[in-house]
Amino acid sequence: FSLVPLGAFYFYLRKYRIYNGGWQGEKSVAKLLNKTLSDDYSLINDVYLHDGGGDIDHIVLGPNGVFVLETKNWSGKISCNGDQWQRPGKRGFKGSPSRQVKRNAAKIRNIIDSSQLKPLGIRVEGIVVFTNNHSSLNINNPTVPILKLQQLPSHITAQKTYNSYTSQQLEQIGKEILKQTH
């Protein structure tokens, strides 16, 4: 009987470390973007949409579009081929960060398209960002941009669009997104 509490303790300790690592990664993205992006950009963190489909780590609203970010604080060797991901030595690894961010970007696109903002034709791009300095990425044929943390601000600001969106338009978009959260 003495092994049961010990096993439960290690189970919850592992869950806590995973959660805390993810939270630390998300915190580092928010800190870097708040420090490096101009006031033309707005950042919305930890978005939970009404549809119950999970959370969105970050949404960046800028004059050159909307950027939906999936943050990973993973370490070690990480391989991506298209939407197939592998992490050697990780038992029971499942999921695809690129598929996840594409789903989330589509949700944000649907919110914008179903609003009265549709004529804007705003760009919505999903990005997977890795925050852990001890990650080694092997990327082949990615379906979304996959970046290290330090690459993120310049990637966002370098994106070109046919339309430049005003702060009023971005504020409307932000309000539409936040109406769909809980």
Side-chain angles (χ1 to χ4, degrees):
F1 289 107
S2 63
L3 292 179
V4 172
L6 188 59
F9 170 76
Y10 282 112
F11 172 79
Y12 287 109
L13 179 63
R14 183 173 180 273
K15 291 288 185 191
Y16 169 76
R17 284 185 177 159
I18 290 169
Y19 170 80
N20 188 50
W23 183 74
Q24 291 298 327
E26 291 176 28
K27 201 165 93 173
S28 65
V29 168
K31 182 179 177 181
L32 178 67
L33 293 179
N34 281 322
K35 186 172 83 174
T36 58
L37 292 180
S38 73
D39 290 341
D40 294 335
Y41 292 86
S42 298
L43 179 63
I44 305 172
N45 299 303
D46 297 321
V47 176
Y48 293 89
L49 299 177
H50 289 302
D51 68 4
D55 70 317
I56 299 174
D57 295 336
H58 309 279
I59 302 171
V60 178
L61 307 173
N64 56 344
V66 175
F67 304 89
V68 178
L69 309 180
E70 177 59 33
T71 302
K72 294 297 178 197
N73 193 20
W74 295 347
S75 62
K77 293 181 180 182
I78 302 156
S79 297
C80 171
N81 186 7
D83 284 327
Q84 302 298 316
W85 291 76
Q86 292 182 342
R87 294 177 68 194
K90 295 295 179 184
R91 290 184 324 199
F93 172 71
K94 59 183 176 199
S96 167
S98 52
R99 284 190 186 125
Q100 182 180 0
V101 79
K102 288 192 293 188
R103 277 192 308 270
N104 289 340
K107 290 176 188 178
I108 297 304
R109 159 71 58 212
N110 288 338
I111 290 170
I112 295 169
D113 286 350
S114 64
S115 72
Q116 296 183 10
L117 304 172
K118 189 174 182 175
L120 286 178
I122 195 153
R123 161 203 189 101
V124 179
E125 178 180 59
I127 302 170
V128 177
V129 58
F130 284 88
T131 60
N132 194 311
N133 290 331
H134 302 289
S135 61
S136 171
L137 303 177
N138 179 17
I139 309 301
N140 188 24
N141 299 318
T143 60
V144 296
I146 300 169
L147 308 171
K148 291 282 206 150
L149 179 60
Q150 296 304 321
Q151 298 171 303
L152 183 61
S154 61
H155 175 84
I156 289 172
T157 57
Q159 299 311 299
K160 304 295 181 212
T161 185
Y162 293 111
N163 300 323
S164 183
Y165 306 102
T166 67
S167 58
Q168 292 82 12
Q169 290 170 318
L170 295 173
E171 185 176 334
Q172 286 180 304
I173 292 167
K175 286 179 181 178
E176 287 296 324
I177 291 168
L178 292 175
K179 274 199 250 180
Q180 301 298 318
T181 65
H182 55 101

